[in-house]
Amino acid sequence: MQELVSIIVPVYNVEKYLPRCLDSLLDQTYEQIEIIAVNDGSSDGSGDVCQRYAGISGKIRYYSKGNEGISATRNFGIDRAQGTYLMFVDSDDHIEPDMVERMVAVMEQEDADLVQCAYRMDYRFGTLRRHAPQSRRWDYVEALHALLRNREVNNFVWGKLYRRALIGDLRFSRAWKGFEDVCFTVQVFMRSACFVTMHERFYHYVQHRGSFMNRDGLLALDMDMMLEMRASFAFQEQLLQEAYPDERFSNLRNYFNTDMMLIYTMLLFVRREEAERYEVPWLDTDALPRYARIAYRIWVGIAKAKFGRSLRLAQRPE
């Protein structure tokens, strides 16, 4: 007998993309699924789409509530999930028809707590195939180090199948506005005894105007968002170092990538008179590869040319 899989879909102003998402879930070759669609106070027709689909299929359980943000919405879904396994799918994304079946098979074959598949990024002009890890088992410490590299193992909550008991009482923190994934995922991994990656790209991460990283049709970010991203990686590293004092965990790769995006954001979206409001975090450039060290220093040099003394660079911590 198949175990029930709960698929949590947080919904907010995605009327245009939602039908494709829900169709991809209803087209799954795995029969025992429940789709928990939670409308987070959408102001467009997303709620009507959910109601229409719930009327078509008994697999869809539809809920509507006031706007509280993505963390509260996912938590709402977790609290109502009845499955042995749990999965998150964002409502503007979609998945391959055999994703659930193939991931459940690996979960049960390997007696895993957590399974991750690969993904592709879908743009209007085509598809970008992101790096796909090898299909393999990881022990928990090895997986945690890989999570910080953010390459073979990623910080997204979607594209993963979770054993419901693994999550237990863990919930998304509402303190994070945009990087709740980073803080939630590391805590899930810390609870997992067996993690498995799959090479297959089952998940379609759709990029469009209005999505999180493409709010104005390009990489248009703001400083508060970038500083919160930096803080989320610092939280992740500190949590791991406190839990495993004999291990040396470093999020340097993510700090570098975030700081490059942060300076990019300053250059494009911050006026000179506003620059003093922000401080570029300290980065251990000596520990970077030579090409990264050079790239960072060039980027900082350009920022200094634009902002002059208004540019604030954090000093090495004591």
Side-chain angles (χ1 to χ4, degrees):
M1 182 178 177
Q2 289 184 334
E3 298 288 353
L4 181 65
V5 177
S6 299
I7 304 176
I8 297 172
V9 184
V11 176
Y12 182 70
N13 288 350
V14 285
E15 179 182 5
K16 179 179 177 181
Y17 303 94
L18 187 55
R20 185 170 189 179
C21 174
L22 295 177
D23 284 338
S24 75
L25 303 184
L26 292 176
D27 287 343
Q28 289 301 297
T29 57
Y30 190 88
E31 289 295 326
Q32 287 297 105
I33 64 171
E34 62 169 5
I35 301 163
I36 303 173
V38 185
N39 181 15
D40 186 36
S42 296
S43 57
D44 65 357
S46 296
D48 294 335
V49 174
C50 288
Q51 287 183 320
R52 185 171 75 250
Y53 272 79
I56 295 171
S57 174
K59 292 182 178 180
I60 297 179
R61 295 165 54 198
Y62 171 58
Y63 300 91
S64 182
K65 63 179 185 61
N67 180 252
E68 298 177 283
I70 186 69
S71 291
T73 304
R74 285 179 175 148
N75 291 341
F76 187 98
I78 294 172
D79 290 340
R80 287 154 181 80
Q82 299 175 358
T84 302
Y85 305 127
L86 191 149
M87 180 180 288
F88 298 98
V89 175
D90 284 353
S91 50
D92 48 358
D93 298 334
H94 57 277
I95 64 177
E96 291 294 309
D98 58 344
M99 174 174 172
V100 175
E101 181 179 8
R102 298 278 299 280
M103 294 185 76
V104 168
V106 169
M107 176 79 84
E108 295 180 345
Q109 177 182 339
E110 300 290 342
D111 192 25
D113 297 313
L114 180 60
V115 177
Q116 173 193 291
C117 70
Y119 68 97
R120 62 190 71 197
M121 298 180 71
D122 290 352
Y123 295 85
R124 184 176 58 182
F125 54 79
T127 295
L128 175 62
R129 292 174 177 263
R130 298 305 302 265
H131 173 79
Q134 294 181 346
S135 296
R136 55 166 292 192
R137 288 173 61 105
W138 304 69
D139 70 42
Y140 75 98
V141 173
E142 187 181 31
L144 288 168
H145 282 289
L147 183 67
L148 296 193
R149 292 194 297 270
N150 206 13
R151 183 169 170 80
E152 304 98 333
V153 181
N154 62 62
N155 285 282
F156 300 122
V157 296
W158 46 254
K160 296 178 175 66
L161 181 69
Y162 306 79
R163 193 176 295 276
R164 177 65 177 81
L166 177 69
I167 292 179
D169 60 355
L170 181 63
R171 296 294 183 270
F172 291 88
S173 172
R174 299 176 65 167
W176 299 93
K177 296 180 181 179
F179 298 95
E180 72 293 331
D181 288 31
V182 174
C183 304
F184 179 85
T185 301
V186 67
Q187 294 178 79
V188 171
F189 271 77
M190 290 170 68
R191 296 179 173 206
S192 174
C194 177
F195 167 63
V196 177
T197 50
M198 299 179 66
H199 185 74
E200 294 84 355
R201 295 183 177 90
F202 293 132
Y203 196 95
H204 293 257
Y205 181 25
V206 179
Q207 304 296 297
H208 59 86
R209 183 184 296 272
S211 65
F212 184 67
M213 299 297 280
N214 294 275
R215 294 183 178 183
D216 296 309
L218 71 163
L219 190 61
L221 308 173
D222 61 64
M223 288 297 293
D224 291 337
M225 181 193 302
M226 288 294 95
L227 290 170
E228 185 174 57
M229 180 189 290
R230 185 56 143 79
S232 71
F233 287 127
F235 168 88
Q236 193 179 62
E237 181 180 303
Q238 180 179 355
L239 192 68
L240 289 173
Q241 208 58 66
E242 290 175 353
Y244 308 98
D246 295 333
E247 289 289 324
R248 175 69 178 96
F249 288 102
S250 173
N251 236 335
L252 182 63
R253 178 192 180 111
N254 288 318
Y255 292 150
F256 168 74
N257 291 335
T258 302
D259 290 357
M260 293 292 279
M261 293 173 67
L262 188 150
I263 297 170
Y264 159 89
T265 303
M266 286 195 74
L267 290 171
L268 267 66
F269 304 109
V270 175
R271 295 191 298 270
R272 182 166 184 167
E273 58 270 23
E274 298 175 325
E276 290 185 353
R277 293 172 49 195
Y278 306 104
E279 182 177 72
V280 178
W282 177 78
L283 182 67
D284 185 7
T285 55
D286 292 339
L288 292 171
R290 184 170 181 272
Y291 75 89
R293 186 164 60 247
I294 293 172
Y296 180 81
R297 289 173 178 171
I298 290 174
W299 217 223
V300 169
I302 295 172
K304 285 180 177 179
K306 175 177 179 178
F307 297 111
R309 293 183 179 179
S310 297
L311 182 68
R312 296 171 55 209
L313 298 173
Q315 301 300 308
R316 177 189 291 269
E318 298 294 334

